Structure formats: structure tokens, C-alpha cells
Amino acid sequence: MKHTVIRSKMKKGKPLMKDPIVSRYVPEMDWLDFLSLQRMLQTYSTVYIKPDKGRQGKGVIRVKKLNDSKSKISYKQKTKRVSSKKVMKEIKKHIHLRKKYLIQQGVELATYHGRPFDVRLVLQKPLNRWRLTLMSAKIAPRRNSIVTNVAKGAKEVNVVKVLHGVDQPLNVLKVLRELIDVSHQIVQVLDSHFPLQIVGLDMGIDRKGKVWFIEANTKPDCTGMRKLDRKLYRKYLEAKKLIGKR
């Protein structure tokens, strides 16, 4: 079976949002337009605007609702306060009008030394069975960073080390077990819709310890994870070799 690279975030997100079990871990997501922006900001204090086919955290905009009349828009390293009526107008300054964009429920990520982080899990299917081969925590470069992508300056660190050092009280074993369990459930759902052999999952942990799906990458760049655990990276390469022979 061949592996398919799926670039559309919505295409990957839809089956997860519809699944009765996995959906509880998936933030609400919709196509961006004036009505969806209004509705989402009425429901959530923070939302993210993302290109449907973007990568490496490029083009991501964060909108935080301060009160009924003011919102804070963050793009790249700049932040601007605008009236609630002008949020869409401000967003349009930073997006390509010919591209499709999503609006996604924001998750207040747990922090490590004051900086938000998420967890990258790489799963491969070398012998018709999904196997977790790599895992790392990606720590944002700044306290107010919009994204946790390595391409935007995030640092990859050992997951267990980070979970034991988070600023919020977490049950480390429970969170770790849930991260792995939910990731396997997610790839099973994706695998039932698309021909896949490898998936990189970005998973978040909020400040109460709840696990969240953020994004799935069907062509993950894993080279940066090599230095964290060379033994695990060898297993990843072995699985990759087996997949290539099929």
C-alpha cells in the first residue's frame, strides 16, 4: 500500500471531528469567514487562523478576545489591539485572499519555564501495525510565541524531562499514557480514511492536564529528533526501511 501525503488540514481534521471517541480531543475547527469568526469568538477566548495547506507555522494568526469590544491580534512577533468590529479587517491584512484558511479553537498550553510547549509523536506502520517510534517536546522560544514549530525557533527536548518540569501540576504518568493512547486512536481513524504509512502528530496538553490534538503531518521532518535518543531514532530508521521495501 502506498503512502499518501495530505496537505489539507481540514481534510485530515474532518474525520477526527466526526469520530465519537477521538472528537473529544480535537479542538473545534471551521473554514474562516466573517460568520465563523464571530461564532468562534463568542464561544472561545482564543482562536487561531491557519492556512489550510500551510506548514512550519507560517501564516498563523492568534486572536484573543479581551472583552466584548476589544481583541488582541498576534501575527509573527507583532501584537495589535483592535475593536471587535475590526478583527476581520485586520486579519485580511495578513492573509492571502486566494488561499483557504481555517479558524480553530485555541488551547491554553501548559508551560515549561514560562514558555508553552506541545508534543510531537511520530507513528509508523512497517508491518501493517502502527508503532510509536519517536517522541519529543517542542518548547516555544518565547512566553508569548504563537506557534511551537522548530522552524520558528522552538527547541526539541526530551518529553519526560519536560513533563516533570512543567509549571502546572500534572500527573506525568497519566498524561504520558493518554498522549500515547490517543495518538494511536487518531492514526487508526486517519488510516481508515487515507492510505498512510507514517504520521507525525502535534499534541497539546492544556494547563489542567487535558490532552489535545493540534495537527497531523503526513510528511514529518524527523531529523531534529535524532539527537534526543539515538537508540529510538535507529528504530525509526529501521521502520522506515521496512516500509520502503513494501
Side-chain angles (χ1 to χ4, degrees), residues 33-127:
D33 58 33
F34 182 73
L35 289 176
S36 64
L37 179 68
Q38 271 194 323
R39 182 180 60 80
M40 294 280 270
L41 281 175
Q42 282 170 359
T43 311
Y44 308 108
S45 59
T46 303
V47 297
Y48 284 84
I49 314 297
K50 300 178 177 181
D52 181 44
K53 293 183 179 179
R55 55 192 298 270
Q56 298 183 331
K58 291 175 183 176
V60 176
I61 301 164
R62 182 176 63 204
V63 182
K64 283 191 176 186
K65 185 180 174 183
L66 301 175
N67 51 50
D68 288 339
S69 60
K70 287 276 183 185
S71 292
K72 186 166 69 173
I73 297 176
S74 301
Y75 178 71
K76 292 184 177 177
Q77 293 182 35
K78 294 179 180 179
T79 297
K80 186 177 181 180
R81 292 184 182 220
V82 298
S83 72
S84 297
K85 292 177 182 177
K86 293 182 179 179
V87 173
M88 193 65 179
K89 186 180 178 183
E90 188 62 32
I91 287 169
K92 282 182 176 179
K93 292 178 184 177
H94 305 297
I95 65 176
H96 296 278
L97 297 178
R98 290 184 182 179
K99 288 185 179 179
K100 286 186 173 181
Y101 283 78
L102 311 171
I103 181 165
Q104 189 178 46
Q105 168 192 348
V107 174
E108 193 172 10
L109 294 173
T111 57
Y112 177 78
H113 295 178
R115 293 178 289 167
F117 71 92
D118 65 12
V119 179
R120 164 63 64 92
L121 299 99
V122 178
L123 294 98
Q124 293 166 286
K125 194 172 69 166
L127 299 167

